[in-house]
Amino acid sequence: MTRFIAVLAVLVALFGAAASSSSSGTQTRKDVKLTLVAYSTPREAYGKIIEAFKKTPAGQGVSFDQSYGASGEQSRAVEQGLPADVVAF
C-alpha cells in the first residue's frame, strides 16, 4: 500500500508540473501524456494504479505510454535515449 501511495504521489507531482508549465490563467488545460518505463514484475499493479489515478481530478486528461521489460534492458534503453517521465527498476 505504501508503494501504491508513493507511485500515485509521483504521478500527481508529474501531472502538476506538466499542467502548470503548459497552461496559463486563461487557457484550458491540455491533455498530458506521461511515459512509464519499468521492470516487468509490477506491470499489473502499475496498470491498476494508473486506472485509479485516471479516476481522480488530477488524473483527468492524463494518458500513459508504458514500457516493461527486464530491468537491465530497460535501464540501458533509457540510458540510450528512450523517453521516460517515470522510471521504476
Side-chain angles (χ1 to χ4, degrees):
M1 184 64 165
T2 302
R3 182 174 261 174
F4 171 81
I5 293 169
V7 171
L8 190 56
V10 168
L11 295 176
V12 169
L14 284 170
F15 172 75
S20 66
S21 69
S22 67
S23 67
S24 71
T26 60
Q27 293 178 327
T28 58
R29 186 184 77 200
K30 294 183 178 181
D31 289 345
V32 175
K33 181 177 272 190
L34 298 175
T35 302
L36 167 63
V37 177
Y39 67 107
S40 57
T41 303
R43 182 180 192 155
E44 186 176 325
Y46 281 125
K48 291 178 182 179
I49 291 168
I50 289 169
E51 289 307 311
F53 174 70
K54 286 180 172 183
K55 293 177 183 175
T56 68
Q60 299 300 305
V62 180
S63 62
F64 290 84
D65 281 334
Q66 302 170 59
S67 175
Y68 296 97
S71 59
E73 291 175 15
Q74 294 292 75
S75 64
R76 285 187 292 278
V78 170
E79 183 178 58
Q80 294 173 2
L82 177 66
D85 296 303
V86 179
V87 178
F89 302 134

